[in-house]
Amino acid sequence: MKKWKPSIIIENSIKQNGRVTADVIEKTYDIKEHQMIRFMAEEFQRRIEVEVAMEKKQLILLMDEIRELQDVERKEQSNLVFKFRSLINILLSDCAKLQQRSLIWNDAANKVNEILDVPLLQCEPMTIEETHTFRMHPIYSEVYEIYLAYEELSPVLTETFRAFIQSLLKSPTLYEVWVLLKIIHYFSEWGLDAHEFVVDIQKKYKDSKSISGYKKQFRMENRPFDIGIYYDFTFDGSGYRPDFVIGFFEKENKQWSLHTLDAKYKCYSEMTKGEQTLLNDLKHSGTRYLNDLFGGELKVKSATLIHTDIKSLNWNVKEKQVNTENNQHTIAHFHFTPSESKNLQIYLKRLLHENSGLDHCCPKCGQFVEGTIQNTKEFQNKISRKILYNCSVCEEVWVANFCSSCSYHGRNMKLFYYNGYPKYLARQLYKYPTHNYNIQVGESWDVHCPNCYKTFDHKINYIVKHTVKNEPMIIRSF
Ligand SMILES: [Zn+2]
Ligand SMILES: [Zn+2]
């Protein structure tokens, strides 16, 4: 299209050669606003992909849990069977919500793809800035407003936090910090204020360009305990620096139970001397901390290794070289990766109940649960009991049972005041509908005692195969 413009006419009058030149203006849609709109649509597309992948993973985890629950439901004879049904129903309704969301995502993805196919938007994307057209044009400004509203939905990263995340991505401690964030995430379900943590971390990073040495006691409202976390902190007495120390402070008796956790980005199964390396790591990150992290009187109650070898897991390492005093459930190792992620939750549940003795606290929501004592047996100075816990807030259920054989022989007993008299209480054995850390008994809601491997029917003896790498295996009973 050729246009006569005043400038051309004037120019022409000045020029003496008599030839008229005119600007050639082509009608084009390749304006920067379109490039920015393409950027917006591609951003939506990426976001949808990430959300869909995350929800798919969540759905698989829920389905696995349902299958596990259905299995125990089939085998259960007692009235607990109703409890399992209601847990299954809760999970089924969560699954239905996720499936419903996947339809909505699908719809959104189709719409975004249609937008990306529009001829106007066949251009290179460009980062967004406010332009005259975005401010003034009725339609363009509407598009721009929608994008601003979308951006408002995502949390704004402060400059400090952005810098922290960028430094992290290149850092060899990426796995450790990821584990730390996951621990905070699970603890937030027990009532920890995650926002408090983010504010702390920003401050720590701003002051020292690293988050090493972070420590904090989180006050937990309406829960029987507070949580303490040390990350990469050097302890004075020993000079040791575990990746994590996790502590539970029982408010009622003002006592701490402390545990260490070291992270190793290692796949032992693929190493030539994997088993030996694991053994050395367990001595270094287990035995050493258990014996004298603090020196003196205060003792760590459990020491665990978290790693990325999905073929290795042992919640109760008994190997003499590592567990010199043969204490049950004090040394362990487990795998945790983005695709195999249920063990961290099991670990935290185990710390709460098995290692800290807070078995009256719900492993899903952290609330106090008054257990129902089902049968108390007194024999000489010994006492044993079974307690059923049922959380009215989140419907979680768990049982603290005991091993008749160990109780009879007085193994692993705990001093306990009963009606004002000192007695010895049989060690509790914990059982959950899913995600257990004790060895399961195939056909009933029972577990093998971690000390003698017997089931509740204590007449049967078991031959057990031990390895450092994996959980003990029951190979024959007689
Ligand atoms: Zn609960
Ligand atoms: Zn036993």
Side-chain angles (χ1 to χ4, degrees), residues 403-407 411-412 429 448-454:
C403 169
S404 312
S405 176
C406 284
S407 166
R411 292 188 293 249
N412 271 305
L429 292 185
H448 286 278
C449 165
N451 185 52
C452 67
Y453 297 111
K454 287 174 184 173

